[in-house]
Amino acid sequence: MIVLFRHGQCDHNIVNWISCGLDSKSELTDFGRQVVTESATELKEYFGDKIFNVKFKIFSSPLLRTKQTSKIICDVLGIDPNLIIYDERIKE
């Protein structure tokens, strides 16, 4: 099974600014953090007790907003964030 998450709402989304450089400092907004947390919680509830038998691979771009999103997902699902695979090819 493949599950795709888009990063949560970030500062630049609010002003319609596309930023894909690694130097981008666009962080998740409080609303963005909330939505990512809710979405990851729904995924955890979907899997139920089976979640402990699932081997997750999390791929993320190295942009700040996607790192923050991936970290929240790991926190909710109980996954070691050191397992996140950052790939520069995954950008806007």
Side-chain angles (χ1 to χ4, degrees):
M1 172 186 292
I2 297 174
V3 178
L4 299 175
F5 273 82
R6 186 177 190 275
H7 65 79
Q9 180 190 62
C10 64
D11 301 329
H12 290 172
N13 292 141
I14 294 173
V15 295
N16 293 323
W17 185 9
I18 296 175
S19 58
C20 60
L22 291 177
D23 58 344
S24 173
K25 304 295 183 214
S26 184
E27 295 192 41
L28 294 182
T29 62
D30 289 339
F31 178 71
R33 292 178 204 284
Q34 176 187 342
V35 171
V36 171
T37 300
E38 290 171 359
S39 297
T41 300
E42 287 181 26
L43 182 64
K44 185 175 183 177
E45 289 171 357
Y46 173 80
F47 279 107
D49 292 337
K50 296 177 193 172
I51 198 155
F52 301 108
N53 296 324
V54 176
K55 294 192 181 207
F56 289 94
K57 286 191 178 183
I58 297 181
F59 294 89
S60 173
S61 85
L63 300 175
L64 178 58
R65 63 186 176 257
T66 56
K67 286 181 174 183
Q68 292 171 327
T69 298
S70 298
K71 174 77 168 71
I72 292 169
I73 293 168
C74 285
D75 289 346
V76 171
L77 298 181
I79 299 170
D80 181 357
N82 292 316
L83 298 176
I84 300 170
I85 301 164
Y86 296 106
D87 192 325
E88 289 188 31
R89 297 173 294 175
I90 310 172
K91 294 191 293 186
E92 308 213 63

